[in-house]
Structures are given as structure tokens and as C-alpha cells.
Amino acid sequence: MKTMSVMEAIREAMSIRMREDPNVLLFGEDVGKFGGCFGVSAGMFDEFGPERVRDTPISEGAIIGAATGSAATGLRPIAEIMMDDFITVAMDQLVNNAAFMHYMFGGKIELPMVVRTVNGAGVNAAAQHSKSMEAWLTHVPGLKVVYPSTPQDCLGLLLASIDDNNPVVFFEHKIAYGEKGEVSSFDPIPLGKGDIKKEGSDVTIIAYGYQVFRALKAAEQLEKEGISAEVLDPRTLYPLDKDLIAESVGKTHNVVITSEEFKRGSYAGEISAFVAEEMFDSLDAPCRRVCALNTPVPFSAVLENAFIPQTEDIVNAVKAQRE
Amino acid sequence: MDVTKEQMRHMYRTMVRIRKFESNAQNDFANGKIPGFLHLYLGEEAIATGVCENLNKDDFITSTHRGHGHIIAKGGDMKYMMAELYGKSTGYCKGKGGSMHIADRDLGILGANGIVGAGQDIAVGAGLSCKYRKTQQVCACFFGDGSTNQGTFHEALNMASIWKLPVIFVCENNHFGISMSQSRHQAIKDIADRAAAYGIPGVAVDGNDAMAVYEAANEAIARARKGQGPTLIECKTWRWRGHFEGDPAIYKDPKEQEEWVAREPVKRFREFLEENGVMTADEMDKVDAEVDQEIKDAVQFAEESPLPKPEDVGKDVYTDFDEEVRVR
């Protein structure tokens, strides 16, 4: 048992695999001596050297393209895109190429690659450095999308992502980097398996990424008001652990989904549609979504706080659902 | 230069294979046997041939939407290619890719690619892999003049140059980006000049001269294998057909077309081989007849092959599970 932050857990997972497998390498903007924009790879340059912890020019398309080409030819690259906002620049390489290659080529080429990228609002970074783009990627056949919350989940799921033979997009929330937790296992956690972060009987709050921490606080408050909330963290967005959701909803009969995405076209909407299509008869009330607003992420703290789906918004949604 | 007569004979066979494969595809498309979009390599055969003759089986290539010639030159099997064009389950991609997405990892073919310029970044990744694993492999990256205006071109040449990657950037300047002539889509004449921006060698050669292409590629590949980094080779050529089959190419100047067709690569290579005593006309005719038979066999294989099963639509999205399919 060891206490680690989310950031340390991510660094540990990369380091474990890089020590074991010389074909695993990390590249991206400023990941080398500088240690990455948030410090995630700090110290790795000293341990693994410039070939394996490799700085790239500011060329997101070429970063993803280089990951694709090197994964197709024997390496297991981890490519870091500094902010998920910048993934738009590399979208062609990720969508038209990495995601589709295995299918287009009839299974001839496998791409064991991970794209790590940083999500989320809360640091006054405004519209181009704060958003949550997971729905852009869960939409695409051929990609697996992982968005864990706790240090233990970050470590285990990143190990599994590196081990996977498909392109995996691995989201990290910039606010969550400092969250600490107990890490007891250094084994991979299979992709596609969710986890109940808190058991409850009245409502299932489905949350992932940093929203898990907000949902847990919401559940605490709700408990005081006599509402028993279960917090379900799918951890992997695709493939989604539908069985765990069905099990939980079968017990609670109410679902609130929270994510930090723009509400319109969100992955939260996809989960909501799945629950409505396949579990309608189990529901006591319609699903509710607690997402960010449909605005660009604003700069000023007052505006940004109004934009972010907060703990109280989750509490309010659960209560409103029961009225 | 160390090219052997055997290699030159092999190059002739490769060029004829490409020419006849493409001519057959043109007819089969016109007759409704090949569906979808078809981009033919007719007139550009010398480039894939001259470059790939220098490559080993375990070297890599990235290709384009106009990729049949590259696949054949890298050793692709025309039976599986034809079956793929026909959309059959025995095709290279099991009928999931078609003309624009043929790949064969065992031959180092990292895929034809329907996105203009996308292969350039992928080639950088392959080059990184070769250098990182300390093999002597290289990656030849084929692309057209139109793609040199994409951001990928700049990103890829820059990244390959700073890391001195063993990538050979082969620009097939066929003078058109779809309908837009080179003189309209860029202000330069020699794309090879752009190499200067990345501090790498850039050479322009007659892309309809198989030996000129071979020599330029030979030198670039030798540099790459020695760890001296990438080279940009511009091969000047001409696309005989429209951008795709069905494009009437009204934007072409008929006089220019006539001049380029007169400089056609297969005929020129025949003359070269005969003049230099490498092959006689009879020997080359024999190759032509053998390739005719290969094409017939490939077509027969494609025609007799089964179509994919509808339930296979959900396979190969991922390596480890199938996607749900519609139940009817």
C-alpha cells in the first residue's frame, strides 16, 4: 500500500512498462528534460534518456502520425498531446488513420499506441485550454477511450492501455493531478470494467474523470438528507461497462449522469440514451444529465464556476429527479 | 551505380505489371465490375518501380489514394489486390478497404491512404521505429504534388530532418492536385526546392525515366541507411487519366497531355533495355505475355472469390472484440 497522487500514478505506470519493455517510449511536446507542461513525466528523462522520453516540435498531427507509424512497425508508443484542445489539430491522424487502419486494412495492421491528453476546466485557462473533448473520440469506431479518476485506477488503466493492441486515448483531468489515494495493486485494470466508488440504493450517479470527486461529495451531502446515492465510475468510456450500469440501475431505478463536457452532443448523452433504450422499464424517472454549459469555457473565475458542473448541481439534479 | 541486369529485368516486369493491372482496372471499372472510386497510376509507373527496386522486403512504404503501383512494386500480390478492388472477402482487406486502403504488413506496406498527405506523418513514425530499434530499415514515403501544400508535409519533413530519420520522401509531381494544375496550386516550379527549408537534400528527376528514379532513390536510401537522414526526391511525371475514373479532365491542355504521353515510361524503358543489351524485344514480349496471364489469373481469382458475409461487418474494428451487427 502506497499513497500516490494521480500524477505520480500515471508517471509510475509509464515507468513500469518502460523498464520492462524497451519498445515502449514516450514522446510529445516538452515531455523531456522539462518534464511535461504539468510535470507528469518529471524525472523520466533522467531515467530513460532522450531517445525514450522524446521532445517533439509543436506538431500535433505529426505526433499522432508518428505514434501511428511507429506502432504499426514494432513500437508501443505513448504520445502526449499537451491539452486535449489541441487534439483537433491532429484529428485527421487520429480518426481517419489510427482509428480506422485495423479495419480498413482487414486486420492486417495493429496499432498498440496510447494517446495521453489533458482535459478539463478550473484553472482560468479559458476556451482553448480547458474543454473536455471525450465525445469527439468516443464517437469514433476503432478508438478505445479511457478516463479514470483515482490514482489506483489511473495506474492500472494506463498499464492496460499500454498493453492494448488498439489505439487508446487516455484522458487526464488537470485538476485531478493532485488528488491523492491509496495504491495497493500494480497490476493492469482491464479496459471496459467500471467500478462502484460508493454504494447506494436510491440513485445511480454515473461520473468519470474529475466529476467522480464532485459526485462523491454530492453523495455525502445527499446522504445527510436521507438519499442514498451510488457513484458509478465507468473508468473506460469505450468499451462501456453496460453490465455494471444495468446492475446498478436495476437496484436504484434512477440515473443522473455527470460530465464536464458541453452538454450538447456529450458522451453523457450517449450514456443517457443507452439507459433509456435498454433500461427504460427499470427507471422511476427520466435520466438527468449534469454537464457543463453549451458555451466556450470562460476565463474569469466567476464565469468559469458558473460553467463547470459543480457538486451542488449534482445534488440539485438528484433532488429534482425525485420530486 | 551498382544496378544489375537482373534488377533491370525485374524493373521491366514491375512496370509492365503496373501498366497492365491499371489498364485492366480501367476497363473493369468502365464495365461496372469495380465499384467505388478508382485513381489510376497510368503514366507514373517508373517512379514506384525505380524506388522500390532499392528496397528490401522488410523496408516500409506509405502510399496514397493512387497506390496500386506502389503496392505492386513493393511485391504486393495482384490476385489479392484485384479481389480487393472487386470487394471480395479474399482481398487484401477482406473487402473492407477497397482501392484506396490496400496494406500488407508482411511486405512493409503501411497502407494506401485516402487522405492526401496523411502518409507523410505515418512514414515519420516508421522511420522513428527503424532508427529507434537500430535496424537498417528505411521507409519510402510516396505522395503527390498536391499534398505538398498540406500541413502534414511541413510537419513530417521537419520532424524527420531534426531526428535524421531514414525516410525517403518521394514526391510524384504529376502536375495536378485533382483539377488544379501545379502552376495554379503553388508558386514554385521545383518542389525539390522545399527541401532547403528543412536542411535536407532535395533532388528533382525525370519521373518517367525509371533509371533516373532508381539512381536518385539509391543515393537517398544509402544516406538513410547510414544514418544521414531524409531526402526529398521530386519525380516529374504526368497523370494520364483524370483524378479518378469518370473525371473527364477538361482542365488538361491536350497538347501538354500529348507531349507527356509521348515520353511514356514503359516504352522508354524498353528502348533503354534493348539499346543497352539488357533484354531483347522478344524477351520483353515474353514478359508482357506472362504478365497478361498473371492479370487474367488475378481477374479470375477475383471473380470466383466469395463476397464478404454481412455479419463480418463488425469484425476487425478492434483486435479483441467484434462490434454489434444489425440483426435482420
Side-chain angles (χ1 to χ4, degrees):
Chain A
M1 192 79 88
K2 204 172 166 184
T3 303
M4 276 187 175
S5 68
V6 160
M7 186 184 291
E8 287 164 343
I10 291 165
R11 184 187 304 139
E12 184 64 19
M14 290 193 285
S15 301
I16 288 172
R17 281 297 179 266
M18 285 177 69
R19 284 177 202 128
E20 291 168 353
D21 183 352
N23 286 328
V24 179
L25 74 165
L26 168 69
F27 53 79
E29 292 156 13
D30 310 299
V31 299
K33 195 82 187 162
F34 186 69
C37 182
F38 292 92
V40 178
S41 55
M44 290 177 65
F45 179 89
D46 292 332
E47 179 173 356
F48 299 104
E51 300 294 316
R52 300 188 69 196
V53 181
R54 182 181 284 259
D55 284 323
T56 65
I58 302 169
S59 302
E60 283 84 8
I63 292 169
I64 302 291
T68 306
S70 59
T73 56
L75 302 187
R76 302 189 83 86
I78 304 166
E80 180 177 307
I81 298 292
M82 187 185 284
M83 308 270 174
D84 89 331
D85 309 76
F86 312 157
I87 262 187
T88 53
V89 180
M91 215 55 181
D92 177 63
Q93 287 298 341
L94 194 54
V95 175
N96 277 316
N97 289 282
F100 296 163
M101 269 187 163
H102 188 261
Y103 190 82
M104 288 190 303
F105 300 161
K108 289 282 190 315
I109 288 182
E110 295 189 352
L111 296 176
M113 58 185 270
V114 180
V115 177
R116 285 183 41 244
T117 191
V118 181
N119 237 358
V123 296
N124 309 98
Q128 296 173 341
H129 290 69
S130 301
K131 62 189 165 290
S132 293
M133 301 272 286
E134 55 268 27
W136 283 48
L137 302 162
T138 53
H139 184 63
V140 181
L143 296 179
K144 294 186 180 181
V145 181
V146 180
Y147 199 167
S149 56
T150 65
Q152 177 69 76
D153 290 351
C154 286
L155 193 146
L157 282 157
L158 185 50
L159 290 174
S161 299
I162 297 168
D163 295 345
D164 205 277
N165 286 331
N166 299 279
V168 177
V169 181
F170 188 95
F171 283 106
E172 301 162 14
H173 196 291
K174 54 173 82 70
I175 300 290
Y177 276 142
E179 290 288 329
K180 289 200 161 75
E182 296 298 315
V183 173
S184 57
S185 164
F186 291 80
D187 294 329
I189 295 170
L191 303 191
K193 293 283 173 212
D195 188 39
I196 303 294
K197 295 299 180 198
K198 179 195 164 295
E199 288 195 5
S201 54
D202 296 332
V203 58
T204 301
I205 303 173
I206 301 175
Y208 56 84
Y210 193 68
Q211 286 309 99
V212 170
F213 301 109
R214 294 190 175 116
L216 286 169
K217 281 186 199 146
E220 237 173 77
Q221 287 185 28
L222 289 163
E223 206 76 43
K224 288 176 195 155
E225 300 180 41
I227 299 169
S228 167
E230 178 143 300
V231 177
L232 186 157
D233 179 358
R235 304 192 290 193
T236 304
L237 305 189
Y238 197 81
L240 182 66
D241 192 347
K242 291 183 171 182
D243 292 343
L244 187 67
I245 294 173
E247 201 182 306
S248 179
V249 175
K251 183 171 67 174
T252 63
H253 309 293
N254 286 296
V255 180
V256 170
I257 305 148
T258 182
S259 76
E260 216 187 272
E261 309 163 275
F262 307 130
K263 188 171 185 180
R264 186 173 68 236
S266 60
Y267 190 64
E270 176 65 23
I271 298 176
S272 172
F274 152 68
V275 171
E277 275 186 351
E278 299 191 21
M279 279 168 263
F280 186 75
D281 292 339
S282 300
L283 295 177
D284 287 345
C287 292
R288 284 182 185 246
R289 286 180 292 157
V290 182
C291 299
L293 304 182
N294 292 320
T295 67
V297 186
F299 167 67
S300 179
V302 173
L303 299 174
E304 193 179 29
N305 285 333
F307 166 87
I308 292 171
Q310 308 284 3
T311 299
E312 67 171 296
D313 300 321
I314 302 171
V315 169
N316 290 342
V318 169
K319 290 203 276 196
Q321 189 179 46
R322 306 180 72 76
E323 278 164 12
Chain B
M1 197 182 45
D2 57 354
V3 62
T4 65
K5 285 186 176 181
E6 194 192 333
Q7 280 180 303
M8 287 189 272
R9 287 193 284 268
H10 183 252
M11 284 169 70
Y12 179 72
R13 187 178 293 271
T14 300
M15 284 177 83
V16 172
R17 278 180 175 149
I18 299 170
R19 172 65 55 86
K20 288 182 184 289
F21 184 92
E22 295 295 67
S23 300
N24 181 80
Q26 184 187 332
N27 289 332
D28 283 359
F29 183 87
N31 295 330
K33 290 182 179 176
I34 293 176
F37 295 142
L38 188 69
H39 308 84
L40 296 177
Y41 197 63
L42 289 166
E44 307 181 31
E45 297 88 345
I47 303 169
T49 302
V51 172
C52 291
E53 192 62 35
N54 287 285
L55 298 177
N56 300 324
K57 190 182 169 191
D58 68 349
D59 287 324
F60 299 107
I61 65 164
T62 61
S63 175
T64 68
H65 56 287
R66 200 176 304 289
H68 305 160
H70 312 135
I71 314 291
I72 291 172
K74 190 66 175 63
D77 190 318
M78 294 193 291
K79 282 204 307 289
Y80 304 137
M81 290 177 68
M82 198 72 81
E84 188 59 35
L85 265 54
Y86 274 63
K88 298 297 184 78
S89 66
T90 55
Y92 260 116
C93 317
K94 305 178 192 167
K96 287 175 172 149
S99 164
M100 280 189 282
H101 303 300
I102 296 175
D104 187 343
R105 178 66 181 76
D106 295 337
L107 294 170
I109 300 166
L110 302 178
N113 202 314
I115 305 295
V116 168
Q120 294 156 354
D121 286 339
I122 295 168
V124 166
L128 172 62
S129 169
C130 300
K131 183 163 180 165
Y132 180 91
R133 291 180 294 113
K134 298 188 168 57
T135 66
Q136 286 295 300
Q137 292 162 289
V138 300
C139 181
C141 170
F142 294 98
F143 52 90
D145 50 301
S147 79
T148 63
N149 303 324
Q150 288 275 40
T152 50
F153 176 80
H154 171 65
E155 291 192 20
L157 268 75
N158 182 61
M159 204 176 264
S161 67
I162 58 165
W163 290 345
K164 287 197 181 308
L165 298 181
V167 181
I168 298 87
F169 292 100
V170 182
C171 178
E172 302 177 316
N173 180 0
N174 67 21
H175 292 87
F176 289 95
I178 309 183
S179 74
M180 205 170 181
S181 64
Q182 192 204 353
S183 60
R184 291 174 62 225
H185 75 60
Q186 52 194 193
I188 56 168
K189 206 162 173 239
D190 291 329
I191 293 168
D193 290 350
R194 290 198 173 170
Y198 310 101
I200 64 171
V203 287
V205 298
D206 179 350
N208 283 14
D209 177 348
M211 292 315 296
V213 175
Y214 176 92
E215 284 173 38
N218 187 273
E219 196 177 319
I221 290 166
R223 281 188 82 249
R225 291 201 205 281
K226 277 189 273 185
Q228 292 171 348
T231 302
L232 172 62
I233 303 173
E234 176 191 3
C235 303
K236 292 182 191 289
T237 186
W238 186 263
R239 189 184 78 208
W240 284 9
R241 305 287 298 167
H243 172 62
F244 49 79
E245 286 307 283
D247 163 13
I250 51 168
Y251 45 83
K252 279 187 183 174
D253 175 353
K255 193 167 160 285
E256 243 185 322
Q257 168 91 0
E258 201 178 302
E259 285 167 8
W260 274 99
V261 172
R263 294 198 289 271
E264 82 104 328
V266 178
K267 188 162 156 275
R268 277 173 71 184
F269 197 51
R270 273 184 78 102
E271 286 162 8
F272 169 86
L273 293 173
E274 216 175 340
E275 278 165 22
N276 287 276
V278 181
M279 290 179 93
T280 65
D282 282 351
E283 283 168 336
M284 288 187 277
D285 290 346
K286 190 163 166 277
V287 169
D288 292 4
E290 284 166 5
V291 173
D292 279 333
Q293 188 58 47
E294 285 177 19
I295 299 289
K296 269 187 201 153
D297 292 346
V299 169
Q300 193 184 349
F301 176 79
E303 283 179 341
E304 290 174 359
S305 288
L307 289 163
K309 297 192 183 81
E311 57 267 32
D312 289 344
V313 67
K315 292 180 181 158
D316 296 320
V317 182
Y318 295 93
T319 62
D320 50 350
F321 65 92
D322 295 342
E323 278 296 348
E324 279 176 37
V325 299
R326 187 178 288 117
V327 179
R328 289 194 171 113

